[in-house]
């Protein structure tokens, strides 16, 4: 079938060969014509056999004879209509009724037709004369057909009146709409007829050819095959609809569009010719070569113009290669817990860690101190394996967490029994709570005569840590790092807690881990101690870790032995890095070194950008750090940019006053001047909105904000700003906008006009300038004046509005300090009804 479709056009010409016009169309090549002709015939061939099909060949000559004498045009049209209706009905019914059967039948018919076609081809080659006989036969068919149609007309709705009539419309131009294209709108029929008339000699053939092809597409036998075609069309439509594609002839591609793209690459991604793309760019007024880079917005226009779909990607998408696949439950195996020891200084953290290690580590290493790896594993008497992080202290814990590596499963909080709950103890409690990591209290130094474990327990109550002895659910164990008393119980308590946590990991996947510590070793190069969190790290694996990457050259376990691989919860020293990562950096195994390098480079650049953007990097990072770490109180982070230092400080002060025990506003950063891209970067990183007080975002910042989904809010009244933040802090912030910017105008020139003062010659660049609206004068994106217009002129006339793209003259009421390059912002205030909650 598709074969036939493909040669449709040729077929039209070939259609006439055996009619009188044949010879004209032969100029295109006899062979082809013959072939096509045959095919056309073939498709048309109805079941009855060659007789019918041979009739087709003579189609061209049929025109005058096709209509039975005595039937008027009107009558004819009426009949056709009736036939059409019947056919349409039938098409639908049939399609629904027996799609499969038809498919089979059609297949059979097709095969038959093919055979016949071949036969005919032979016959044709052999004897041309036969064509005449065929013609006669065809004529006979025609009359038959006409008779049938009349019958159909009479019994308009009767089923299958069209069967076997497929060839009739082919022969007869006027029948075409009825037979071949029942659904074609009349207009096109008329058009075609007209074309036919203009070009009659050949066109009879052509027209009939078209019809034939329609038939051909529908199948060999009239009604049945048209039904088939209708069904197919229907299916095709449904398919296209399902695909969301409207265009038939074109493949619509999803074009990945980064922030900037080289023209040739853009063409490549669209699978369009570079020349076409360049041409199209030129039509847009962009004179570029294929090697030039264009921005995403321009590229988007081009992509749309070519009918493709834009998929905006950002550089960070390189990270996607390491995006996690969720593990199937089936693949998950229990893993040892990872334990961090925390507590106030000198309460004995190091002593406890050492005591446990020395008691549990294989005797050969009795020295204990020789070990340099920042974590170790021990086995309890019951055989449970526990992983201890040998990096006590909150800094390690929080810095890791802030880097996205939550490695700790259980916190052992060490409190000295001869002391009490101290500031760092409280800090540790908060950290553990924030991280939602269960705690076990180790009451240390119980060997001391002045030890008072119960005081520790009561002290802890004040910080909402209720130990088991106080009928809470936090395990508490009395220990002594010096005597070793209670250490076994402590390990048991840990094992029990671990059991409750049901810790699992999938050892059979690419490894992911967290750097516990890293240093540059003189002899061995950069070395990182990594705690494997999921999967298994193997020698030879390629990985990215933070801003570094590498290939595992060697793995050394906590006992100093070289190992081939390390599974979940196993701490291991990794050699083979290209640089030294930082504690808390996450290690991911990638497939290729290129991927690893790409990700590492991307991260390095991003970090550099961020540092550059931050300006006062440390302060800002610290702020964000705290905002992230301190999760006991939920915080609303914001960025504030203001026109002058005074207002910035006033806002920050006001912000600090907002909040209660649950919510606090944290100003991550504040500054003076326009909102820049770096502000947006920071805001994005911490999910904060940017509050602009009498300042605006510059163009690039605006774009970035749009892209990254960072909210920018503009204010000109401190009270409004404070009010909004208050509302946001209590979760009530409405998306109401107090002001709408309706337009922007750029000052091109400044004129002095007597009696009026300074008048700005402006170009409205965006939206509309309205006489009645409020206006602000922006210089370098900072609001330097707000007021109203004294005049809005278009040429000499005072007007109420000037549209974007037009020039106008503007002057402010009571304000004269205007300069070329300044921007006038035109805004309208809206009534905001606030709901009181
Ligand atoms: P860290 O700062 O929490 O790591 O505490 P250290 O482990 O460095 O211990 C501080 C001091 O307390 C050291 O002088 C230890 O010898 C001592 N110490 C630690 N645990 C115990 C204990 O269980 N009993 C006694 N008597 N002293 C201990
Ligand atoms: Mg210590």
């Amino acid at each position: 079938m598709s074969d036939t479709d493909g040669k449709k056009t040729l077929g039209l010409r070939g259609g006439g060969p055996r009619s009188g016009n044949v010879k004209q169309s032969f100029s295109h090549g006899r062979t082809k014509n013959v072939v096509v002709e045959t095919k056309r015939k073939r498709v048309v061939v109805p079941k009855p056999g060659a007789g019918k099909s041979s009739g087709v060949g003579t189609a061209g000559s049929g025109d005058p004879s096709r209509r039975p004498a005595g039937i008027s045009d009107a009558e004819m049209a009426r009949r056709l209509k009736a036939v059409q209706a019947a056919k349409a009905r039938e098409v639908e019914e049939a399609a629904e009724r027996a799609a499969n059967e038809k498919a089979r039948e059609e297949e059979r018919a097709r095969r038959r037709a093919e055979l016949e076609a071949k036969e005919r081809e032979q016959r044709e080659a052999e004897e041309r004369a036969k064509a005449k006989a065929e013609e006669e036969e065809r004529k006979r068919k025609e009359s038959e057909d006409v008779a049938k149609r009349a019958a159909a007309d009479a019994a308009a709705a009767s089923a299958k009146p069209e069967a076997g009539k497929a060839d009739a419309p082919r022969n007869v131009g006027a029948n075409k709409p009825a037979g071949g294209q029942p659904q074609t709108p009349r207009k096109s029929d008329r058009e075609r007829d007209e074309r036919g008339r203009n070009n009659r000699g050949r066109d009879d053939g052509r027209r009939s050819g078209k019809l034939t092809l329609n038939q051909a597409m529908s199948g060999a036998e009239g009604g049945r095959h048209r039904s088939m075609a209708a069904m197919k069309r229907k299916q095709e439509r449904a398919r296209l609809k399902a695909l969301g594609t409207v265009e038939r002839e074109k493949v619509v591609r999803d074009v990945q569009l980064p922030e900037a793209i080289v023209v040739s690459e853009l063409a490549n991604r669209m699978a369009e010719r570079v020349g076409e793309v360049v041409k199209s760019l030129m039509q847009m007024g962009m004179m570029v070569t294929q090697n030039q880079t264009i921005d995403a917005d321009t590229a988007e226009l081009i992509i749309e113009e070519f009918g493709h779909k834009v998929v905006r990607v950002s550089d960070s998408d390189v990270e996607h290669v390491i995006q996690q696949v969720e593990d199937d439950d089936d693949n998950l195996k229990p893993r040892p817990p990872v334990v961090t020891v925390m507590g106030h200084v000198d309460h004995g953290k190091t002593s406890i860690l050492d005591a446990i290690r020395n008691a549990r580590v294989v005797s050969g290493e009795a020295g204990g101190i020789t070990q340099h790896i920042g974590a170790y594993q021990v086995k309890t008497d019951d055989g449970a394996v526990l992983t201890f992080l040998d990096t006590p202290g909150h800094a390690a814990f929080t810095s890791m967490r802030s880097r996205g590596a939550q490695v700790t499963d259980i916190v052992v909080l060490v409190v000295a029994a001869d002391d009490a709950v101290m500031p760092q103890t409280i800090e540790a409690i908060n950290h553990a709570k924030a991280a939602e990591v269960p705690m076990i209290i180790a009451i240390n130094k119980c060997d001391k005569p002045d030890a008072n474990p119960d005081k520790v327990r009561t002290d802890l109550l004040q910080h909402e840590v209720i130990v088991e002895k106080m009928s809470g659910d936090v395990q508490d164990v009395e220990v002594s790092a010096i005597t070793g008393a209670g250490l076994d119980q402590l390990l048991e308590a840990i094992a029990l807690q671990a059991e409750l946590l049901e810790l699992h990991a999938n050892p059979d996947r690419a490894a992911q881990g967290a750097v516990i510590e890293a240093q540059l070793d003189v002899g061995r190069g950069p070395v990182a101690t990594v705690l494997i969190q999921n999967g298994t790290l193997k020698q030879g694996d390629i990985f990215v870790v933070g801003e570094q990457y590498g290939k595992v050259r060697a793995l050394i376990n906590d006992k100093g032995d070289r190992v081939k691989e390390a599974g979940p919860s196993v701490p291991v020293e990794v050699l083979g890095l290209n640089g030294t990562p930082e504690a808390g950096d996450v290690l991911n195994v990638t497939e290729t070194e290129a991927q690893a390098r790409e990700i590492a480079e991307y991260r390095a650049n991003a970090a550099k950008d961020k540092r550059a953007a931050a300006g006062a990097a440390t302060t800002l990072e610290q702020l964000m750090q705290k905002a992230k770490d301190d999760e006991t109180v939920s915080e609303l982070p914001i960025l504030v940019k203001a026109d002058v230092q005074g207002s910035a400080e006033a806002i920050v002060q006001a912000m600090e006053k907002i909040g209660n025990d649950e919510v606090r506003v944290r100003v991550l950063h504040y500054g003076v001047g326009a909102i820049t891209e770096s502000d947006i970067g920071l805001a994005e990183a911490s999910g904060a909105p940017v509050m602009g007080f009498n300042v605006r975002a510059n163009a690039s910042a605006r774009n970035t904000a749009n892209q990254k989904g960072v909210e920018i809010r503009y204010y000109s009244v401190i009270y409004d700003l404070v009010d909004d933040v208050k509302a946001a802090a209590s979760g009530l912030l409405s998306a109401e906008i107090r002001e709408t910017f309706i337009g922007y105008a750029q000052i091109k020139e400044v004129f002095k006009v007597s009696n009026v003062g300074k008048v700005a010659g402006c170009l409205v660049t965006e939206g509309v300038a309205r006489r009645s609206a409020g206006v602000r004068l922006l210089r370098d994106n900072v609001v330097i004046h707000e007021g109203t217009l004294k005049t809005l002129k278009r040429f000499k006339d005072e007007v109420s509005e000037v549209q974007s793209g037009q020039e106008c003259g503007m002057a402010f009421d009571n304000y004269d300090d205007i300069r070329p390059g300044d921007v006038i912002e035109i805004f309208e205030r809206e009534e905001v009804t606030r709901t009181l909650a």
Side-chain angles (χ1 to χ4, degrees), residues 616-683:
T618 40
T619 349
L620 216 52
E621 263 168 30
Q622 280 165 4
L623 274 170
M624 288 171 63
Q625 196 72 54
K626 271 188 193 160
K628 277 181 184 164
D629 291 344
D630 199 348
E631 281 169 12
T632 45
V633 178
S634 75
E635 291 191 326
L636 177 74
I638 63 166
L639 262 81
V640 176
K641 287 306 275 287
D643 52 347
V644 291
Q645 188 69 22
S647 47
E649 278 166 8
I651 290 164
V652 172
Q653 268 174 26
M655 292 297 109
E656 277 163 5
K657 283 185 202 136
I658 298 176
N660 48 32
D661 291 346
E662 285 164 7
V663 193
R664 196 154 60 200
V665 175
R666 184 176 290 277
V667 180
L668 291 176
H669 173 61
Y670 72 91
V672 172
I675 296 163
T676 62
E677 223 173 331
S678 61
D679 293 326
I680 303 299
L682 275 167

Side-chain angles (χ1 to χ4, degrees), residues 312 392 432 463 481:
R312 287 248 188 175
H463 302 281

Side-chain angles (χ1 to χ4, degrees), residues 345-346 348-351 392:
V345 66
D346 280 347
K349 299 179 292 290
T350 309
S351 302

Side-chain angles (χ1 to χ4, degrees), residues 344-352 444-448 479-482:
H344 196 70
V345 66
D346 280 347
H347 278 199
K349 299 179 292 290
T350 309
S351 302
I352 286 179
N444 193 30
K445 306 195 187 182
C446 286
D447 60 295
K448 281 201 165 182
V479 298
S480 167
I482 300 294

Side-chain angles (χ1 to χ4, degrees), residues 245-294:
T245 320
V246 192
E247 266 175 58
R248 225 168 239 257
E249 67 282 348
K250 188 157 185 164
V251 182
V252 176
R253 283 163 214 282
D254 284 344
V255 181
Q256 306 259 312
L257 180 58
E259 276 124 55
I261 190 166
V262 176
V263 174
S264 58
E265 175 60 20
L266 175 65
N268 192 17
R269 290 186 190 189
M270 293 193 294
E272 301 285 353
R273 255 179 267 151
V274 184
E276 292 296 314
V277 177
V278 172
K279 208 165 95 188
S280 167
L281 276 162
M282 284 180 172
Q283 276 161 4
M284 282 171 55
M286 293 218 18
M287 299 301 159
V288 291
T289 67
Q290 55 169 300
N291 298 321
Q292 272 174 280
T293 306
I294 55 172

